[in-house]
Amino acid sequence: MEIITFNRPRQAVVLDVDGVLLPCAELGVARWNKEHPDEEPMTIEEITGYGVLGKRTDEILPYYALEEFYHDQRPYPGAQEFVKELCRLYDVYFLTAVPDNVVKYRGSQLKRFFPEVGRDHVFYGSVKERFIADFSLDDSPDHILAQYESGAVKHPVIMRRPWNEDLSGIMSLTDYNDFLTFIKLVNGIKSSFEPKKNEGSRVVAMVGPAGSDKGRLVSAMIDRGFERLPSYTTAEKRDDEPKGYIHVSVDEFRRLKDEGRFIESTSYCMNYYGISRTGVEDALKYNLNIVTVVDICGAVTLKRLFSERCLTVYVTRDETAVYQDIMAKHTGSELINRLRWLSAEKKNKELCDITVLNDDVAAAADALTNYIIGK
């Protein structure tokens, strides 16, 4: 009998295993390279999705059906400490999909590596959207989107890996500590922003789905005296893009990221975007109001770093106009992806301080300007 029990139920956190806590694709690549010493080495970056891709990476898929393949798994650095800390604060569950012949081994494996999570908190299967929880962490885009669409998980989070870099508009992380910070931030989020004059500059972070016309709204804010936060991107320059983008190559972007030049970086439709660290710091130093378009990851990071000096704005628009805008600009798989992401991106509203209706760009810009600086 437990001497101490909780008066209120603890929040539930659901964790995927392969690709989140234990390496899997990496082991497949290493094994393939060992078996093909005379061929050009395979890299993890070649795996750009799940399942059969019609590439040589398909040759590692049969490994996943072998129990002996999983014998070489060891937790990612920091994974065991991460799970231990999560269990101290929340109810943690494992949802893992492995072949039937591996289930028994997976059970003993999890018990050995993560003893804090009891056997009754381990579930097997790939239909993860049926499991109700407060937070989840998974590397599969299909699982994360299914959880968004079902509403079973309040805050699904993607663990960034090369095979999910085309998933955009939802919370993504690359570090266990960032996930812990995100949970604490979500639990403590409240709008502490008060629009008072002469109390310093602000960072205005615009968040919203494709088709919400965030770019035009940012340009309108710049016309009203705001400064555009410099952002780096590997995307090709467009004639109608908002001011302030610095276009660089993928190699240059990675170099800048490694040097710590970005507060936050993300990928969107296979292009990379980074928020300039010095751009934010210099603007606030010189008392400038700055505005930028970010995904929800960037907005949460800015809020965490600059607290009341950051205003996160969810941009919404008439749904018909949103669909028309998306269909006019995109085709093929990109169109399908952007339409699918819409329902997931709508949940980002819960994490933002305010919402602005952007059916009329000028009216929205005037309302925001008046709210922020009283003009």
Side-chain angles (χ1 to χ4, degrees):
M1 179 178 178
E2 294 183 0
I3 297 176
I4 296 177
T5 59
F6 293 101
N7 293 331
R8 293 183 296 274
R10 300 205 297 179
Q11 289 181 306
V13 179
V14 173
L15 299 177
D16 181 33
V17 176
D18 294 308
V20 173
L21 301 174
L22 303 176
C24 187
E26 297 91 336
L27 296 180
V29 168
R31 179 166 177 164
W32 187 93
N33 286 334
K34 185 176 181 179
E35 294 178 356
H36 300 79
D38 298 329
E39 298 190 41
E40 181 180 352
M42 183 185 293
T43 66
I44 195 67
E45 285 74 21
E46 292 180 47
I47 304 177
T48 56
Y50 272 79
V52 178
L53 303 175
K55 304 172 11 177
R56 67 173 181 165
T57 53
D58 294 346
E59 296 177 24
I60 72 174
L61 297 179
Y63 300 156
Y64 301 158
L66 306 174
E67 181 185 312
E68 48 133 295
F69 172 77
Y70 297 87
H71 293 181
D72 292 331
Q73 285 186 316
R74 298 294 181 275
Y76 284 117
Q80 291 172 295
E81 295 78 8
F82 166 65
V83 171
K84 185 179 295 184
E85 178 65 7
L86 270 181
C87 288
R88 189 179 69 83
L89 301 169
Y90 313 105
D91 283 340
V92 177
Y93 299 85
F94 289 145
L95 294 185
T96 179
V98 290
D100 292 344
N101 61 300
V102 183
V103 169
K104 185 176 180 180
Y105 181 78
R106 173 51 53 90
S108 63
Q109 183 186 48
L110 293 177
K111 183 179 180 180
R112 183 169 72 256
F113 292 142
F114 309 104
E116 300 83 10
V117 179
R119 286 184 178 274
D120 58 339
H121 279 214
V122 179
F123 296 85
Y124 300 91
S126 59
V127 187
K128 299 185 177 182
E129 65 272 19
R130 299 290 182 89
F131 200 98
I132 298 173
D134 296 283
F135 298 89
S136 69
L137 185 61
D138 203 304
D139 68 314
S140 167
D142 287 341
H143 293 161
I144 288 293
L145 287 172
Q147 288 174 336
Y148 265 109
E149 291 163 357
S150 71
V153 178
K154 293 179 182 177
H155 299 287
V157 177
I158 193 83
M159 176 62 91
R160 278 295 181 200
R161 300 297 185 214
W163 47 89
N164 61 41
E165 286 193 338
D166 63 338
L167 184 65
S168 308
I170 65 175
M171 195 65 205
S172 64
L173 302 168
T174 59
D175 183 86
Y176 297 130
N177 288 329
D178 286 345
F179 185 69
L180 290 165
T181 300
F182 174 68
I183 295 179
K184 294 173 183 177
L185 184 63
V186 168
N187 286 333
I189 275 182
K190 58 183 179 180
S191 181
S192 59
F193 181 85
E194 292 294 337
K196 298 177 181 179
K197 295 181 181 180
N198 304 318
E199 287 205 0
S201 54
R202 309 292 182 184
V203 182
V204 182
M206 301 282 195
V207 177
S212 59
D213 223 2
K214 303 181 295 294
R216 285 184 61 210
L217 181 55
V218 166
S219 295
M221 297 292 287
I222 292 171
D223 292 340
R224 286 158 177 75
F226 285 75
E227 296 289 329
R228 169 68 192 233
L229 174 63
S231 298
Y232 290 79
T233 180
T234 61
E236 292 185 7
K237 185 174 178 59
R238 301 195 328 260
D239 293 336
D240 63 339
E241 74 179 24
K243 305 172 185 176
Y245 278 120
I246 301 171
H247 294 265
V248 296
S249 67
V250 172
D251 288 342
E252 176 69 2
F253 187 93
R254 288 173 175 165
R255 182 185 68 79
L256 294 171
K257 181 179 179 180
D258 291 341
E259 292 177 357
R261 300 281 289 276
F262 303 140
I263 283 178
E264 172 71 13
S265 63
T266 188
S267 62
Y268 194 87
C269 292
M270 303 308 293
N271 293 311
Y272 297 102
Y273 297 83
I275 301 173
S276 168
R277 180 178 297 275
T278 56
V280 179
E281 294 171 347
D282 288 349
L284 295 179
K285 177 181 178 182
Y286 293 106
N287 206 36
L288 300 174
N289 285 306
I290 55 177
V291 61
T292 185
V293 172
V294 293
D295 67 0
I296 191 60
C297 312
V300 168
T301 298
L302 288 170
K303 193 70 175 177
R304 174 171 57 83
L305 293 175
F306 300 103
S307 189
E308 73 279 356
R309 299 194 73 179
C310 174
L311 177 69
T312 53
V313 180
Y314 183 80
V315 182
T316 187
R317 189 183 179 197
D318 175 74
E319 200 164 272
T320 299
V322 168
Y323 280 105
Q324 290 175 341
D325 189 282
I326 292 174
M327 289 187 287
K329 292 180 179 178
H330 308 286
T331 59
S333 61
E334 185 172 342
L335 172 61
I336 294 172
N337 285 336
R338 287 187 182 245
L339 291 175
R340 189 182 182 195
W341 295 330
L342 273 178
S343 61
E345 291 187 271
K346 289 178 182 177
K347 285 185 67 68
N348 294 333
K349 178 179 178 179
E350 302 171 17
L351 300 178
C352 294
D353 293 318
I354 63 173
T355 296
V356 61
L357 178 62
N358 196 31
D359 287 344
D360 182 319
V361 174
D366 287 340
L368 269 178
T369 301
N370 183 63
Y371 181 80
I372 297 166
I373 59 178
K375 292 183 179 181

